Amino acid sequence: MGNRKIAGLDDYLSVSKAATAGEPLEVQVWRSGRVQTVTVKTSEFPVERADQLAWSLLGIKVEDLTPKNRRDFRIAVKEGVLISEVKGGSYLARIGARPGDVLRQIDDTSIATLEEFRKALIKSRQKSSLVLLIQRGEQGYYVTVSL
């Protein structure tokens, strides 16, 4: 890819992370018994797929905090995203995360809105783990999630 040999997944991820969105990238592939060079155009991860990413990586669905859900779940904080669903069997389900918890931070990025959550998750999607700050009532819990 580009000017680098790809010996494994780490090399591939390194080159793909370094590529700028919209940049054409030459890739040599082995196809039909011979090496072929193809050019791919890189693009940004689509924000509209961030909710699917949250479900597949973290096992959660989230939504913006609203006056109604803040009242329903007795949430005092005004920033963060509400965890509205937790996938059974996911790591977060196994450690006790539940609907009504508020996600306040992903790694070192504070989360105030659903849009900020989506951007932070997309930015962090290729990491091996994430540290989440989850708040329930007055208590905040830092949780490390392997991806």
Side-chain angles (χ1 to χ4, degrees):
M1 278 178 67
N3 296 328
R4 288 192 47 196
K5 286 189 178 248
I6 306 298
L9 180 60
D10 289 340
D11 292 340
Y12 170 79
L13 292 175
S14 175
V15 172
S16 62
K17 285 179 188 178
T20 304
E23 172 186 348
L25 190 61
E26 285 193 354
V27 180
Q28 289 184 342
V29 296
W30 182 263
R31 187 179 293 158
S32 302
R34 61 186 179 96
V35 174
Q36 295 179 0
T37 301
V38 294
T39 301
V40 295
K41 185 177 179 184
T42 59
S43 63
E44 291 183 15
F45 190 93
V47 173
E48 59 271 10
R49 292 189 52 207
D51 295 340
Q52 293 169 308
L53 187 64
W55 187 250
S56 65
L57 287 181
L58 302 175
I60 58 172
K61 291 184 181 179
V62 298
E63 58 188 64
D64 269 321
L65 287 174
T66 65
K68 181 183 182 327
N69 60 31
R70 289 180 63 235
R71 186 176 52 254
D72 291 348
F73 290 104
R74 297 185 186 136
I75 298 169
V77 297
K78 296 184 182 193
E79 291 186 341
V81 290
L82 176 77
I83 297 176
S84 58
E85 188 174 343
V86 181
K87 185 192 304 184
S90 68
Y91 176 74
L92 289 176
R94 291 192 310 272
I95 65 165
R98 64 182 186 220
D101 290 344
V102 178
L103 181 60
R104 306 280 312 272
Q105 188 173 323
I106 296 177
D107 285 337
D108 59 351
T109 303
S110 294
I111 306 298
T113 65
L114 183 58
E115 192 63 28
E116 289 178 0
F117 167 80
R118 289 172 175 153
K119 288 177 182 177
L121 185 61
I122 289 169
K123 176 182 163 190
S124 302
R125 73 187 184 282
Q126 293 180 328
K127 292 183 175 184
S128 59
S129 65
L130 299 176
V131 176
L132 307 178
L133 173 57
I134 298 175
Q135 184 166 342
R136 178 178 298 158
E138 297 295 318
Q139 298 295 315
Y141 304 91
Y142 284 98
V143 177
T144 301
V145 179
S146 294
L147 302 179

